[in-house]
Amino acid sequence: WRSDFKDIYPGILESISMMEGAPEQHFSLEQLARFSHMCVASYTKKFRTATGLSPMEYLLNVRLQQVRH
């Protein structure tokens, strides 16, 4: 999904960077949506369109990859 940044809403990219930068931190869906300047429904829909995963699924994958490395 990262091969085409120009089509991803900037708030989504910023929240992805935040999750990847501090995966050990607690993030709520509401917090991530607010950080991205969107309501939860819009954020979740745009995030899934961009990544193929829900925000919480993505965060779980980031955390699992961190443990594996």
Side-chain angles (χ1 to χ4, degrees), residues 10-23:
I12 299 297
L13 287 175
E14 291 171 10
S15 68
I16 287 171
S17 292
M18 189 168 67
M19 286 188 270
E20 290 179 350

Side-chain angles (χ1 to χ4, degrees), residues 15 18-19 26-44 55-56 59:
S15 68
M18 189 168 67
M19 286 188 270
H26 171 75
F27 294 106
S28 70
L29 188 54
E30 292 79 12
Q31 177 187 17
L32 293 167
R34 189 172 49 250
F35 178 79
S36 299
H37 307 288
M38 288 184 255
C39 70
V40 170
S42 292
Y43 175 75
T44 301
M56 295 298 108
L59 181 57

